[in-house]
């Protein structure tokens, strides 16, 4: 056990087929961090689709975080699936109180890669409330537009930054010469626009991998832009080396992504 491994608190849903909290834990391990995991929901799904969601009780989520914060020197927080507004409110309170001052990476998930909803209708507003004070939020283009209630990306970026997140990494804002383009907006300006080869097919847990990798880099003390660049490189390698053990979406290979 590497005693210097930074502790990253990962808060999200359990997916038996490997996205969500399992992807977070694998990413943290690959990047030499210790993941401390709090499950917000049990999902019933495989790589073909999602069948059911059982949200955790908000007070159980809160109590688990409190006990972990008492015990471990937390260095960063990553939030994935939040199924309902009562859990969002518990996280809001923790962000403003016990866990204030830590870097927070929030991946505002609305749907699983299979297209099924991962959050209740009350979470459009729930996510918006959670963005205030977040170090970086990582919506994809569709999530950014849906959360802001607009069809225009510039308006969505301005709206979500106005909610109070320090930075916004919008993934897959479009194609440039067949490449996938992500943009990091910091104080309204796109500061890092990165284009990467787009691999064909669907990947299960690629967004979780990216957000967790950024959280690990922040936990190690990297400045925001460096953490985002490094996180993107890691997630990109995991997708490039993905395997397809199930019958539908491929699974990013986080262990293999640890190698340059
Ligand atoms: N969290 C959970 C619990 C999930 O089930 C999923 C997708 O199925 C995700 C997060 C998001 O996965 P992705 O990273 O593919 O957007």
């Amino acid at each position: 056990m590497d005693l210097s491994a930074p502790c990253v608190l990962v808060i999200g849903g359990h997916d038996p087929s490997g996205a969500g909290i399992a992807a977070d834990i694998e990413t943290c391990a690959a990047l030499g961090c210790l993941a401390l995991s709090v499950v917000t929901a049990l999902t019933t799904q495989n790589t073909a689709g999602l069948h059911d969601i059982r949200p955790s009780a908000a007070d159980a989520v809160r109590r688990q975080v409190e006990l972990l914060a008492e015990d471990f020197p937390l260095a960063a927080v990553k939030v994935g699936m939040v199924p309902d507004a009562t859990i969002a409110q518990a996280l809001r309170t923790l962000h403003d109180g016990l866990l204030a001052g830590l870097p927070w990476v929030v991946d505002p998930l609305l749907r699983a890669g299979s297209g099924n909803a991962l959050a209740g209708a009350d979470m459009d507003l729930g996510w918006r409330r959670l963005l205030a004070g977040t170090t970086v939020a990582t919506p994809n283009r569709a999530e950014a537009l849906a959360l802001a209630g607009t069809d225009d990306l510039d308006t969505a970026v301005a709206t979500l930054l106005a909610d109070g997140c320090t930075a916004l990494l919008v993934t897959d804002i479009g194609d440039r010469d067949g490449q996938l383009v992500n943009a990091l907006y910091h104080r309204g300006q796109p500061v890092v626009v990165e284009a990467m080869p787009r691999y064909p097919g669907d990947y299960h847990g690629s967004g979780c991998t990216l957000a967790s990798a950024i959280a690990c880099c922040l936990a190690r003390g990297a400045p925001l832009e460096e953490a985002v660049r490094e996180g993107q490189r890691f997630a990109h390698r995991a997708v490039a080396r993905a395997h397809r053990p199930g019958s539908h979406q491929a699974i990013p290979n986080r262990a293999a992504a640890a190698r340059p």
Side-chain angles (χ1 to χ4, degrees):
M1 167 84 205
D2 175 4
L3 293 179
S4 67
C7 296
V8 178
L9 177 63
V10 293
I11 301 172
H14 180 260
D15 166 8
S17 55
I21 211 99
D24 299 334
I25 295 170
E26 283 182 23
T27 300
C28 290
L31 288 170
C33 291
L34 175 65
L36 299 159
S37 50
V38 173
V39 172
T40 55
L42 294 179
T43 70
T44 302
Q45 64 177 311
N46 58 18
T47 61
L50 181 126
H51 294 252
D52 187 36
I53 295 175
R54 305 268 167 110
S56 304
D59 63 334
V61 169
R62 177 186 52 78
R63 194 65 194 125
Q64 288 175 57
V65 172
E66 286 169 356
L67 285 179
L68 291 171
E70 255 174 41
D71 199 8
F72 295 90
L74 301 177
V77 182
K78 184 260 168 177
V79 179
M81 177 181 179
V82 178
D84 62 44
T86 57
I87 297 179
Q89 182 52 48
L91 297 180
R92 176 78 261 158
T93 306
L94 289 163
H95 176 281
D96 295 344
L98 188 62
L99 303 179
L102 290 175
W104 278 60
V105 181
V106 173
D107 186 15
L109 281 163
L110 299 178
R111 302 195 167 277
S114 54
N116 304 92
L118 282 175
D122 55 358
M123 273 310 291
D124 281 10
L125 207 56
W127 280 122
R128 299 273 309 264
R129 293 207 179 110
L130 262 183
L131 291 188
T134 288
T135 310
V136 57
T138 61
N140 60 34
R141 184 176 192 277
E143 286 162 344
L145 296 177
L147 286 173
T150 172
D151 289 334
D152 176 59
L153 187 59
D154 289 341
T155 309
V157 167
T159 305
L160 299 182
L161 285 172
D163 284 340
C165 53
T166 308
L168 195 62
L169 175 67
V170 186
T171 58
D172 204 0
I173 61 166
D175 262 273
R176 187 196 284 165
D177 304 325
Q179 297 212 309
L180 173 148
V181 179
N182 295 346
L184 176 70
Y185 300 86
H186 200 182
R187 298 194 183 87
Q189 298 302 315
V191 285
V192 180
V193 177
E194 202 123 319
M196 287 150 279
R198 183 190 292 279
Y199 294 101
D202 283 335
Y203 298 88
H204 197 56
S206 52
C208 311
T209 306
L210 171 64
S212 291
I214 295 171
C216 289
C217 296
L218 291 170
R220 291 199 175 282
L224 179 66
E225 286 178 32
E226 186 185 315
V228 168
R229 283 184 202 278
E230 194 43 53
Q232 289 184 137
R233 279 194 284 267
F234 179 88
H236 182 248
R237 287 196 298 273
V239 167
R241 297 166 190 175
H243 47 158
R244 198 162 166 269
S247 53
H248 286 78
Q249 293 179 302
I251 312 256
N253 192 335
R254 294 126 200 149
R259 296 190 307 274

